[in-house]
Amino acid sequence: MYLAHQIRLDPNNVQATYLARAAGTARFAYNWALAEWKRQYEASKTDPTMRKPSEAALRRQLNAIKREQFPWMLEVTKNAPQMAIMQLGQAFENFFKGLARYPTFRRKGRDDRFTLSNDQFRVDGERIHIPKLGWLRMRESLRYTGRIISASVKRVADRWYVSIAVDIAIDTFRPLLPPAENQGAVGVDLGVAALATLSTGERIIGPKALGTLLDGVRRLARDLSRKVRGSRNYAKAKRKLAKLYARIADLRRNSLHQLSANLTRRFHTIGIEDLNVKGMLQNHCLARAIADMGFRELRRQLEYKAAWRGVQLVVVDRWYPSSKTCSCCGHRLDALELAVREWHCPSCGALHDRDVNAAINLREMAVSSIASACGGEGAGLAHTCKVKPSPAKQESSCKVNYG
Ligand SMILES: [Zn+2]
């Protein structure tokens, strides 16, 4: 399993200049290769003797001319231009597979990054060695042990980070972290009002400071729009806004890490819904709230942390009507408006909190699926499995509230 540890870097001014130059070189090479790709592709259409472009050929082409035409490229690691072109090749591959859009040019300020292959850097405690730069201080040492794959250096607002990818061999008999406390199974309903609602009735609210920070974003964005583009004040306002965005992203990530750690520490079976984030984002008024909550990121974190602790993560098919189904008797409503937070089951009379009920259903789905879909329980295997709802209703006893 590949994992990346992102570590803040502490460059001095000279080092920061090098990092910016390496990122600039990577961006230049990427954009050069993209323009060449388009040109060569068009040429190959009219002249069939011309070859279709490829990233390997473009790398060779750049290597042949860079000493002459772009001598400044030699001042930074050779990885900066090379890996950028390889990434362009990957971007085209994703495009041809229909996984991504057509590659676009990298922009200064937004795409300030470069990548190092594992033979071009070394890590020693709280420092990293980069060619033609030397040792650079990191704020912490690499957390994971395993085969180091690559490192990506990037700028976020005014800070530099390195993200080191490590191939971790997971030993299923000896998880990386102490196994989960045996609190049984839990269902997790992801939402907008609350970040998550657990089948235990707990509600996890997202970071509260976010609202205040978003007000700040609105204010700074307004400030920025009043400045003259390209002026010193414009650049200053832009930097401020970028810093605030970075802070919001940090907060959000932190709250998701707390939630995923909490869940994988306590429960040995976790049921979550396979949300169609893309579809939900099209719903305009909810869009930002959902994006803020970062469901996709939470799912990613749960997947690897579950593997570490030997927890079973069950992703329930997104068509399973977890909200509309009564967790007491299995009665299914035809429709349940999003605004309805509580409802009475017309069949058994139970009073349901919308989110808790959904979470309980997800827990039941997770438990019932493990034996059938994923082999015997307690096999000690950590894995994620996807389940589709079976037409048979699960039976569970629960208190009925007549209210
Ligand atoms: Zn019912």
Side-chain angles (χ1 to χ4, degrees):
M1 173 167 36
Y2 285 13
L3 276 176
H5 184 190
Q6 181 172 300
I7 305 170
R8 172 110 178 251
L9 293 170
D10 254 340
N12 59 31
N13 282 342
V14 175
Q15 291 169 328
T17 306
Y18 173 96
L19 297 179
R21 196 179 292 156
T25 302
R27 182 174 60 242
F28 179 90
Y30 188 93
N31 291 346
W32 173 87
L34 178 53
E36 270 298 299
W37 189 296
K38 286 180 180 171
R39 195 184 61 75
Q40 293 178 14
Y41 180 74
E42 287 305 318
S44 74
K45 271 203 301 197
T46 48
D47 178 0
T49 58
M50 296 279 281
R51 279 217 188 156
K52 287 231 171 71
S54 76
E55 63 91 14
L58 284 168
R59 269 189 292 148
R60 280 196 299 275
Q61 195 183 330
L62 181 63
N63 271 337
I65 62 168
K66 73 177 178 188
R67 233 163 258 281
E68 284 275 311
Q69 295 189 23
F70 317 117
W72 41 266
M73 277 193 173
L74 306 174
E75 290 169 22
V76 298
T77 164
K78 62 179 183 190
N79 262 176
Q82 274 176 355
M83 299 291 275
I85 296 176
M86 285 169 75
Q87 284 160 355
L88 178 70
Q90 186 62 52
F92 268 111
E93 207 169 289
N94 291 342
F95 167 70
F96 293 137
K97 281 187 197 149
L99 299 171
R101 271 184 270 182
Y102 193 85
T104 53
F105 289 106
R106 286 191 180 174
R107 264 166 46 197
K108 190 177 177 182
R110 190 191 59 186
D111 304 301
D112 297 339
R113 60 176 188 272
F114 64 96
T115 303
L116 298 161
S117 54
N118 60 3
D119 57 331
Q120 291 293 307
F121 72 96
R122 18 185 230 288
V123 176
D124 171 36
E126 294 185 357
R127 53 185 200 154
I128 179 169
H129 191 274
I130 295 177
K132 299 187 180 171
L133 173 66
W135 290 103
L136 186 57
R137 264 180 48 200
M138 305 192 296
R139 291 260 168 121
E140 52 184 319
S141 51
L142 184 61
R143 194 185 299 151
Y144 309 134
T145 48
R147 195 165 63 89
I148 290 178
I149 305 294
S150 64
S152 264
V153 178
K154 67 170 177 182
R155 173 157 59 191
V156 179
D158 54 348
R159 294 173 178 180
W160 286 97
Y161 296 90
V162 62
S163 181
I164 302 173
V166 181
D167 185 7
I168 296 174
I170 292 239
D171 183 344
T172 45
F173 297 102
R174 216 155 34 91
L176 288 172
L177 294 172
E181 290 167 25
N182 207 339
Q183 287 196 25
V186 71
V188 184
D189 179 65
L190 300 173
V192 174
L195 175 56
T197 305
L198 310 189
S199 52
T200 56
E202 284 164 85
R203 223 176 270 277
I204 289 109
I205 311 290
K208 282 220 181 74
L210 218 54
T212 335
L213 291 177
L214 286 175
D215 288 343
V217 166
R218 264 176 231 119
R219 190 169 47 78
L220 286 177
R222 208 168 46 230
D223 283 356
L224 187 65
S225 68
R226 288 185 188 139
K227 306 273 189 273
V228 181
R229 223 168 213 285
S231 70
R232 203 171 266 264
N233 280 330
Y234 181 87
K236 220 157 100 191
K238 207 173 162 187
R239 259 202 311 277
K240 258 193 190 165
L241 187 59
K243 271 170 93 164
L244 189 58
Y245 271 128
R247 191 167 142 58
I248 289 172
D250 279 350
L251 260 177
R252 191 166 64 195
R253 204 173 311 116
N254 190 40
S255 67
L256 292 175
H257 272 298
Q258 280 174 2
L259 174 60
S260 57
N262 176 327
L263 291 172
T264 50
R265 196 154 39 218
R266 289 167 56 196
F267 302 98
H268 65 59
T269 301
I270 301 172
I272 59 167
E273 209 163 4
D274 187 5
L275 286 166
N276 176 7
V277 177
K278 219 171 170 187
M280 291 179 82
L281 287 173
Q282 277 158 7
N283 182 339
H284 199 68
C285 48
L286 285 179
R288 216 201 24 221
I290 290 166
D292 276 345
M293 295 301 184
F295 291 154
R296 205 192 310 256
E297 171 64 13
L298 180 67
R299 161 96 173 268
R300 188 189 70 82
Q301 292 177 8
L302 281 175
E303 275 171 1
Y304 77 77
K305 290 182 188 182
W308 281 358
R309 291 191 193 267
V311 170
Q312 306 255 23
L313 181 69
V314 180
V315 179
V316 178
D317 188 273
R318 82 174 108 101
W319 302 116
Y320 173 61
S322 58
S323 299
K324 290 189 291 190
T325 306
C326 172
S327 58
C328 295
C329 70
H331 179 82
R332 187 176 295 182
L333 300 177
D334 291 331
L336 185 62
E337 297 279 309
L338 205 57
V340 178
R341 308 312 305 171
E342 277 188 347
W343 56 281
H344 278 284
C345 173
S347 169
C348 71
L351 173 67
H352 291 303
D353 173 284
R354 179 201 183 91
D355 300 335
V356 176
N357 177 62
I360 292 172
N361 283 326
L362 291 172
R363 181 191 67 199
E364 295 307 314
M365 276 302 286
V367 170
S368 65
S369 74
I370 282 201
S372 53
C374 307
E377 203 181 342
L381 281 174
H383 53 213
T384 305
C385 53
K386 284 191 165 233
V387 295
K388 292 207 180 279
S390 63
K393 280 274 117 332
Q394 70 273 6
E395 301 209 352
S396 68
S397 58
C398 73
K399 243 188 260 159
V400 178
N401 264 320
Y402 294 96

